[in-house]
């Protein structure tokens, strides 16, 4: 009779979840746990918190579930993915490792572990992990997305596009894959194709400022300055923490001879940089620092701006990789909409850790380019090298 009551409470909770009555669902699931604890009840309770966007409470529920059932690989993998999404890499690695200990063929845990290696720039090791996943789930969009961006990190751009196109075929509405396709095409200076994929990504994710900035870079290179400025204006409106948006906009305005507007954007960039320095010890991309310093000299501003000393990479001057510069103040492109695909882009847009976009820091952001070089005639001599063709 007790077991029957527990099952009734659990099933009632599940019904309330489908009705989106989450408070009643939590009450019923807690009642079920009080009567008799079960893995599935913990999983459903954790999903409620994920649907509500409360990762901290979801982690607490899954921690209790793992204490109750320490060999449940689904619980271990889910908890590892949640820690990974919050950037708590040590605990993520610990739980994912435990999941693989109990089930070496757990493709979700393998995909997540490969993504962590990819974050650190270990692309060959990550690809080895992905080969195992490909045997289990060969039609996985997150898998092909991450394989594609491994090739991107290895500067094998044609292979990267091939894999990303397959990921896009399998998941045509995944904006992260479209973002990555746009980024790779920008790197290859195929601006029309980049515009196509970035426009599609914006249709699915219209509130992301970085997408508008990438679109503006493509439009600038397509010589559509008017729409590029509109895209930058929208990027500035949406993004309140990324100084690269304001820097690129300032470069465009300066190249158009609008020094007043460029100076205003530069000052906004300074504010964001100072806030980021106060809040963390992360390094900035060396190319961003270089461009900002030269633009500041040209505008006669920015003398008091002190940058965190960046880590130099002798390969960072390679022309075709200048659009893949990562900046260490953005969040990785991940998703908690479905834990089974939480790694779809968690390591998607990365550079090797020795590069300008990667240091020993663990949280690596999506790659974003700098604005292309304006005509030399429009610049004073001391600022003629302030930007590079992207």
């Amino acid at each position: 009779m007790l077991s029957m009551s527990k099952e009734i409470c659990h099933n009632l909770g599940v019904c309330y979840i489908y009705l989106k009555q989450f408070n009643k669902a939590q009450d019923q699931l807690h009642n079920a746990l009080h009567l008799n604890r079960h893995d599935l009840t913990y999983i459903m309770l954790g999903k409620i918190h994920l649907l509500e966007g409360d990762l901290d409470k979801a982690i607490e529920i899954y921690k209790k579930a793992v204490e109750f059932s320490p060999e449940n690989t689904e619980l271990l993998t889910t908890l590892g993915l949640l820690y990974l999404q919050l950037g708590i890499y040590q605990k993520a690695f610990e739980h994912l490792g435990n999941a693989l200990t109990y089930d070496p063929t757990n493709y979700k845990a393998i995909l997540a572990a490969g993504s962590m290696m990819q974050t650190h720039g270990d692309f060959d090791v990550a690809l080895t992990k992905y080969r195992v996943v490909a045997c289990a789930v060969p039609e996985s969009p997150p898998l092909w997305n991450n394989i594609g961006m491994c090739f991107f990190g290895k500067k094998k751009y044609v292979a990267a596009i091939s894999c990303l196109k397959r990921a896009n075929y399998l998941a045509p509405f995944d904006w992260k894959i479209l973002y990555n396709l746009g980024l790779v095409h920008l790197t290859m200076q195929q601006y029309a194709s980049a515009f196509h994929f970035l426009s599609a990504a914006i249709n699915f994710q219209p509130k992301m400022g970085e997408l508008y900035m990438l679109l503006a870079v493509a439009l600038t290179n397509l010589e559509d300055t008017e729409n590029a400025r509109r895209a930058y204006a929208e990027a500035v409106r949406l993004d309140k923490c990324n100084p690269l948006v304001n820097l690129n906009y300032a470069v465009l305005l300066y190249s158009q001879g609008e020094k007043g507007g460029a100076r205003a954007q530069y000052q906004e960039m300074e504010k964001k940089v100072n806030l980021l320095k106060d809040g963390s010890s992360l390094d900035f991309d060396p190319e961003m620092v270089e461009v900002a310093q030269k633009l500041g000299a040209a505008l006669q501003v920015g003398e008091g701006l002190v940058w965190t000393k960046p880590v130099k990479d002798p390969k960072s001057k390679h022309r075709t990789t200048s659009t893949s510069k990562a900046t260490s103040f953005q969040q990785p492109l991940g998703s908690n909409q479905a834990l089974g695909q939480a790694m779809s882009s968690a390591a998607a847009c990365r550079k090797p850790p020795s590069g300008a976009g990667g240091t020993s820091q663990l949280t690596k952001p999506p790659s974003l380019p700098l604005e292309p070089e304006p005509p030399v005639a429009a610049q004073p001599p001391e600022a003629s090298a302030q930007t590079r063709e992207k």
Side-chain angles (χ1 to χ4, degrees), residues 5 43 47 82 89 107 124 140 161 163 178 201 239-240 246 257 268 275 294 297 306 339 349 355-356 381 390:
S5 300
I43 290 173
K47 285 184 177 179
L82 291 174
Y89 291 91
Y107 72 88
D124 291 324
S140 168
I161 288 178
C163 294
L178 294 166
D239 191 286
K240 304 301 180 184
N246 301 94
E268 285 297 316
L275 287 174
K294 291 181 178 180
V306 180
L339 288 172
C349 307
K390 301 299 176 276

Side-chain angles (χ1 to χ4, degrees), residues 256-371:
Q256 297 296 310
E258 299 184 22
K259 291 187 177 181
R263 187 175 291 107
Q265 290 301 320
Y266 192 94
Q267 290 169 347
E268 285 297 316
M269 181 206 68
E270 285 182 308
K271 294 177 184 178
K272 293 181 180 180
V273 168
N274 289 326
L275 287 174
L276 289 168
K277 285 195 305 179
D278 294 340
S280 69
S281 60
L282 298 178
D283 289 337
F284 294 98
D285 173 25
E287 185 173 358
M288 174 186 171
V289 176
E290 180 184 356
V291 172
Q293 289 173 340
K294 291 181 178 180
L295 181 61
L299 295 171
Q300 298 181 344
V301 293
E303 293 84 353
L305 184 61
V306 180
W307 300 84
T308 303
K309 184 178 180 181
V311 178
K312 292 290 183 180
D313 175 16
K315 297 181 180 179
S316 66
K317 303 300 182 182
H318 195 286
R319 187 171 184 267
T320 60
T321 64
S322 57
T323 57
S324 64
K325 302 298 180 185
T327 48
S328 48
F329 37 76
Q330 297 168 271
Q331 297 300 315
L333 289 178
S335 169
N336 64 347
Q337 302 305 311
L339 288 172
Q341 298 183 3
M343 300 311 301
S344 59
S345 291
C349 307
R350 308 291 192 262
K351 282 198 66 177
S354 61
T359 66
S360 58
Q361 305 297 331
L362 294 179
T363 51
K364 295 297 181 292
S367 305
L368 294 171
L370 291 168
E371 182 64 29

